[in-house]
Amino acid sequence: MIKTPKTFHYGEDWLTTSIALAISSGSTKASISEATRKKIRSSWTIVQNIVEKGDPVYGINTGFGPLCTTKISKEETRILQTNILQSHSVGVGDPIDRELAKLMLILKVQSLSKGYSGIAESTLDRIIWHIENDVIPVVPSQGSVGASGDLAPLSHLFLPLIGKGTLDINGQRIEAAKYFKSEGITPLDLGPKEGLALINGTQFIAAHAVKVVAKLHSCLSQADIIGAMMIEGLQGSVKPFYNELHELRPFKGNIHVAKRVKRLLKGSEIMEDHIDCERVQDPYSLRCIPQVHGASRNAWLHLKELLEVELNSVTDNPVIIDENLTISGGNFHGQPLAMALDYACLAASELGNISDRRIYLALEGNSPGVPKLLMNDTGINSGYMILQYTTAALASENKGLCFPSSADSIPTSLGQEDHVSMGSIGGRKALQVIENVEKILAIEMLTAAQAFEFRKPMKSGVFLEAVHSEIRKNVAFASKDRVFADDIAKGIALIQNKTMIKVIQKVALEVKSSMKTKFSDEFEVY
């Protein structure tokens, strides 16, 4: 299991997906150290000096985008920062999940705390107050093109700092001005560059990527367990998971998946029962689990590695290096994550595609001992036939969502921003695909558990027996038709709660404690 620290220092410690989620849930406490505060104050002082000198620096004493050549007076620099939050708050569509908005706040604090943005300490402290008190701004889901930062969603995210916008308080929507008045809280008066620092960045894309990494990892882990159970139910072969095969094509994901599935099948009476059967090869959906699940796992790892770089980067513009060097560059451009999110979206879709194929395979009735449609008395009963209709619909929907958002670019800002990443759209689509995959996996879990039942009284190994037992506590064996939507809803809950992963972890610990010899890493399944 992934262990997260109890404390975290913004701008100083290395932020990961699991730590960001732990801060969001409150299990990890985050703060800014005095050393980091010193860097923040230094950067803020540099910005004040730039304003005093009057030399033109983008976003501090100039307009934005195509207005970058328009000089702003010293007296108007503060008005400029308030105006940018208001003018750029043009988001539309349903609000994003409040956890995503909270993650955006956390990721923004991490970036601004690096000390290169000229933000005031008081502004950062107010953002942290929002995080710690779970007072979360309402952020529309549409409006970002993923370059020059996620401008629209970040503007909505920080409108409450100036007493505008809407807040989510325990699921209830309330105007920020009304809430602050009732609580005696005074809106902030943003200083030079602060508005631009707040809305320039990739935190909308990155927050979605955090959720994609977490949810896709869960799907990958559970797909391996369900696939192993389906192999048992249909009496597939364990040979395609041998180390000797995968050492000849040593992709990390393939090796990892093969090792896990082989361990899950170890000690199975079901596997032993057909060791000398006449079947030479299984269909691809069983035999190629390491190659397909493994490829999706490789894509997940690629996104995870890129995301961790992004979570610990400065994505503001301009960047305040020191007194003599301020750089107006492109660190806000979302392309590095946009392309990886499209890759992860495809990887998730493929996980659903092969799962749907295994469900179809289970219904055919070509495996000895397993009846057609996974039910003995068919005709009057349709069995599990129609469940596969649902997975076919979901898999098809996912295919339509796999067009890469990063392949598109529409110029904005009168041509000043002439190439954009569309990573915000890619992040939203990837999450939608993964949520569909959770439903597909839930249905495969139900069908695999049903097929598994027909192997009794033979037993599998300790892992799959425990998993099957847990599934049966929630969803009973089906001997006749019933409202399968109820079963599916329970199955989705099991997937989303990571129930099977928790069962595997528990059994692994029990096996470890019962072993007299040194605990082998082959048991570290999850």
Side-chain angles (χ1 to χ4, degrees), residues 218-292:
S218 174
C219 286
L220 287 162
S221 298
Q222 295 184 85
D224 292 346
I225 301 169
I226 297 166
M229 186 178 293
M230 191 67 89
I231 290 168
E232 290 277 54
L234 304 183
Q235 283 197 322
S237 173
V238 73
K239 283 188 177 180
F241 303 90
Y242 279 18
N243 295 338
E244 291 85 347
L245 174 66
H246 296 284
E247 286 172 354
L248 302 177
R249 197 186 187 202
F251 289 110
K252 287 182 179 179
N254 302 30
I255 291 172
H256 188 76
V257 171
K259 179 180 178 181
R260 294 170 73 180
V261 174
K262 186 170 180 286
R263 181 64 195 94
L264 289 167
L265 297 173
K266 189 173 182 178
S268 169
E269 294 177 2
I270 302 170
M271 288 286 104
E272 292 294 326
D273 181 64
H274 70 106
I275 198 166
D276 295 319
C277 72
E278 295 180 357
R279 283 185 294 168
V280 178
Q281 292 186 144
D282 293 326
Y284 286 0
S285 60
L286 296 180
R287 189 178 4 142
C288 298
I289 285 175
Q291 289 79 14
V292 179

Side-chain angles (χ1 to χ4, degrees), residues 56-59 61-72 416:
V57 175
Y58 174 73
N61 49 20
T62 75
F64 307 112
L67 301 175
C68 60
T69 57
T70 302
K71 188 76 182 294
I72 304 298
Q416 178 75 6

Side-chain angles (χ1 to χ4, degrees), residues 442-463:
I443 293 174
E444 188 191 356
M445 179 184 67
L446 299 178
T447 55
Q450 185 80 357
F452 192 91
E453 199 98 14
F454 290 104
R455 296 304 170 196
K456 290 183 176 180
M458 289 185 295
K459 291 186 176 182
S460 180
V462 292
F463 290 107

Side-chain angles (χ1 to χ4, degrees), residues 170-444:
N170 298 320
Q172 299 296 316
R173 304 277 169 78
I174 183 171
E175 291 182 7
K178 183 178 180 180
Y179 177 77
F180 288 153
K181 185 177 180 180
S182 68
E183 297 294 316
I185 298 172
T186 304
L188 299 181
D189 182 18
L190 297 178
K193 192 186 177 298
E194 288 200 273
L196 186 61
L198 290 169
I199 71 171
N200 243 326
T202 59
Q203 284 74 38
F204 183 88
I205 299 173
H208 280 76
V210 166
K211 292 292 290 182
V212 167
V213 165
K215 289 172 77 71
L216 181 53
H217 184 251
S218 174
C219 286
L220 287 162
S221 298
Q222 295 184 85
D224 292 346
I225 301 169
I226 297 166
M229 186 178 293
M230 191 67 89
I231 290 168
E232 290 277 54
L234 304 183
Q235 283 197 322
S237 173
V238 73
K239 283 188 177 180
F241 303 90
Y242 279 18
N243 295 338
E244 291 85 347
L245 174 66
H246 296 284
E247 286 172 354
L248 302 177
R249 197 186 187 202
F251 289 110
K252 287 182 179 179
N254 302 30
I255 291 172
H256 188 76
V257 171
K259 179 180 178 181
R260 294 170 73 180
V261 174
K262 186 170 180 286
R263 181 64 195 94
L264 289 167
L265 297 173
K266 189 173 182 178
S268 169
E269 294 177 2
I270 302 170
M271 288 286 104
E272 292 294 326
D273 181 64
H274 70 106
I275 198 166
D276 295 319
C277 72
E278 295 180 357
R279 283 185 294 168
V280 178
Q281 292 186 144
D282 293 326
Y284 286 0
S285 60
L286 296 180
R287 189 178 4 142
C288 298
I289 285 175
Q291 289 79 14
V292 179
H293 289 199
S296 291
R297 184 169 283 274
N298 288 335
W300 166 81
L301 182 60
H302 179 64
L303 175 61
K304 178 178 178 290
E305 289 174 344
L306 293 183
L307 175 60
E308 288 196 5
V309 173
E310 187 78 342
L311 296 184
N312 296 281
S313 296
V314 176
T315 56
D316 186 13
N317 183 62
V319 174
I320 312 299
I321 304 298
D322 55 37
E323 287 278 0
N324 302 309
L325 182 59
T326 300
I327 302 175
S328 185
N331 276 11
F332 51 72
H333 202 294
Q335 194 78 352
L337 286 188
M339 295 180 72
L341 280 166
D342 286 335
Y343 182 20
C345 183
L346 177 62
S349 179
E350 279 301 287
L351 205 61
N353 285 345
I354 196 170
S355 177
D356 169 72
R357 293 298 80 214
R358 287 194 294 266
I359 294 167
Y360 190 94
L361 187 67
L363 302 180
E364 287 184 312
N366 293 332
S367 181
V370 177
K372 186 178 292 185
L373 303 177
L374 296 173
M375 199 172 283
N376 283 319
D377 188 13
T378 51
I380 188 172
N381 292 299
S382 295
Y384 279 65
M385 180 200 306
I386 307 300
L387 278 75
Q388 192 266 328
Y389 281 49
T390 301
T391 61
L394 291 166
S396 179
E397 182 178 315
N398 281 350
K399 293 171 188 177
L401 291 168
C402 278
F403 180 84
S405 298
S406 59
D408 186 33
S409 177
I410 299 176
T412 58
S413 195
L414 304 184
Q416 178 75 6
E417 297 158 14
D418 55 358
H419 182 279
V420 298
S421 75
M422 301 298 181
S424 53
I425 301 168
R428 288 168 47 225
K429 288 204 296 112
L431 271 183
Q432 188 176 345
V433 167
I434 291 169
E435 287 166 1
N436 286 340
V437 170
E438 289 176 336
K439 297 167 187 172
I440 295 172
L441 290 176
I443 293 174
E444 188 191 356

